[in-house]
Amino acid sequence: MEGGELPGLLVNDIGGTHGILQSHVTFLKKHFSLITMKEFLENKKQMSKKVQAMYLWWHKPVVDRELLQSLPNLKVIANSGVGMDHLDQKLIASFGVKMANCPRAVSSSTADTGMALLLASARRLVEVYHITISSSMEYCEADILGVKVAGATLGIIGMGSIGYKIALRAKAFEMNILYHNRTQRKAEEEQAVGATYCKTIDSLLQQADFVMVVVSLTPQTHKLIGKRELELMKPTATLINISRGAVVDQEALVTALQSGVIGAAALDVTYPEPLPRDHPLLKLKNVIITPHLGIRTDKAIFMITEEAVENILAALNGLPMPSEVLPR
């Protein structure tokens, strides 16, 4: 920018429900001139030329053709997470704008969330919590019997960086690990976590006591787990989804849980998010639902912003972006 002015970074807001965290502002202002959507919309003529980068925080601001057309100097969009399914990547690329996500920052915290859901479901923590705080504190032993995790079989669908870290955690819990992935991991990587490759999802579903879904949402994975797949699972099995809600057919899942086709589900993602308050999933005792906790730890959230800044600065300086996402 002229006169050494910092490049403009468009963000949805600062603070609030859909704004970047106040605690990240000082760090971001070292590198950019922050422009909120409110400031941009109030003075489009002046602000439009200043914006060179955009930082999406929990999918906001919404990137559409109108916004892209109003930002002639936009060079890069950085997303605060891994999933890019909320973006029209081909549209963005047609404007010559690069894209980046933050895979390095999110894998450990997301893997922790997956294991937390597995353990909470296995030991029925939500149910027993409500029993414990109830006025009567009366229960039958059968009401609190859980599932033993050690020695159980975990099937991981999607063995990328997050899936692999889940396998590392599961090994520590003495679980047997199966996985299905588009490509098989190297033999030494499999041996390090004691994982066995399944060529088909069907084979994994039939054997697993816990099924963990850790895939990106694409046209190929939309409703990857549907009625047929659920019926392949053991009637005692638990489905855990930490990827995207639409990877699982929710109507089929409700039916499977109500009819005993599978034993339980633990979901960090749904569609929509949040679910309508009258949705049947919210009424089932054999379901745990969390509000897309995934990466939400103080350290991981700041690492995301650091990774986003690294990508943006690389793009603005004509350097390779560490986490560039190519349109598909």
Side-chain angles (χ1 to χ4, degrees):
M1 301 289 287
E2 293 181 5
E5 185 179 350
L6 291 173
L9 178 67
L10 183 63
V11 298
N12 191 61
D13 199 359
I14 296 173
T17 306
H18 298 295
I20 59 171
L21 272 63
Q22 289 280 359
S23 56
H24 295 192
V25 170
T26 300
F27 173 67
L28 287 168
K29 281 187 173 180
K30 289 180 181 179
H31 305 282
F32 309 106
S33 172
L34 295 185
I35 302 168
T36 67
M37 277 298 293
K38 182 181 179 182
E39 292 168 335
F40 170 73
L41 293 172
E42 288 175 347
N43 193 357
K44 266 190 181 183
K45 188 174 181 181
Q46 180 182 356
M47 294 294 184
S48 61
K49 293 181 180 179
K50 289 187 175 184
V51 175
Q52 294 189 46
M54 194 185 310
Y55 183 27
L56 305 187
W57 191 257
W58 304 121
H59 302 183
K60 302 290 184 179
V62 175
V63 181
D64 55 20
R65 184 178 294 276
E66 182 182 357
L67 181 59
L68 291 167
Q69 288 174 335
S70 66
L71 299 171
N73 295 323
L74 181 66
K75 295 180 176 63
V76 58
I77 295 174
N79 182 55
S80 61
V82 177
M84 303 287 279
D85 49 279
H86 57 290
L87 294 173
D88 187 335
Q89 297 177 35
K90 290 182 179 178
L91 173 66
I92 293 168
S94 73
F95 281 82
V97 176
K98 293 187 174 184
M99 294 167 282
N101 61 359
C102 299
R104 300 198 309 271
V106 307
S107 56
S108 290
S109 291
T110 306
D112 287 347
T113 298
M115 285 304 297
L117 284 170
L118 186 156
L119 294 167
S121 181
R123 298 309 302 269
R124 304 171 70 166
L125 291 187
V126 174
E127 289 180 76
V128 298
Y129 165 74
H130 286 294
I131 290 172
T132 303
I133 65 170
S134 67
S135 56
S136 62
M137 184 55 186
E138 293 180 359
Y139 62 91
C140 171
E141 286 295 324
D143 293 336
I144 61 170
L145 291 179
V147 177
K148 186 179 178 183
V149 171
T153 297
L154 169 63
I156 302 172
I157 301 176
M159 191 66 122
S161 58
I162 296 172
Y164 195 76
K165 289 195 174 184
I166 289 166
L168 285 168
R169 287 154 175 73
K171 182 186 179 185
F173 280 90
E174 302 175 16
M175 300 188 79
N176 302 312
I177 302 165
L178 306 175
Y179 79 97
H180 174 76
N181 202 42
R182 285 179 298 177
T183 55
Q184 186 172 355
R185 283 271 187 171
K186 295 177 181 178
E188 56 268 29
E189 292 173 334
E190 292 180 338
Q191 290 166 8
V193 294
T196 301
Y197 180 64
C198 293
K199 290 184 179 180
T200 67
I201 289 179
D202 290 7
S203 175
L204 180 148
L205 294 172
Q206 291 166 338
Q207 299 177 69
D209 299 300
F210 298 89
V211 175
M212 184 94 67
V213 186
V214 203
V215 297
S216 299
L217 177 59
T218 66
Q220 292 72 37
T221 62
H222 183 259
K223 294 190 177 179
L224 177 70
I225 305 298
K227 181 177 183 292
R228 187 189 75 86
E229 289 73 25
L230 291 164
E231 289 176 349
L232 288 173
M233 293 172 62
K234 297 178 180 180
T236 54
T238 299
L239 177 70
I240 303 147
N241 187 10
I242 58 170
S243 54
R244 286 291 186 267
V247 170
V248 175
D249 183 334
Q250 277 184 180
E251 290 185 8
L253 178 61
V254 168
T255 301
L257 289 163
Q258 290 174 333
S259 60
V261 170
I262 65 171
L267 313 171
D268 190 41
V269 288
T270 58
Y271 64 90
E273 291 178 358
L275 288 171
R277 297 298 85 187
D278 60 349
H279 196 282
L281 277 175
L282 300 178
K283 298 175 172 62
L284 297 174
K285 287 187 176 181
N286 53 347
V287 179
I288 294 175
I289 301 178
T290 48
H292 208 147
L293 290 176
I295 57 177
R296 297 186 189 189
T297 65
D298 53 356
K299 186 172 182 179
I301 291 296
F302 191 73
M303 287 172 63
I304 285 171
T305 294
E306 288 180 316
E307 190 170 352
V309 168
E310 183 182 0
N311 279 292
I312 293 169
L313 293 177
L316 296 183
N317 289 294
L319 300 172
M321 296 164 62
S323 308
E324 182 173 4
V325 174
L326 300 176
R328 59 180 180 183

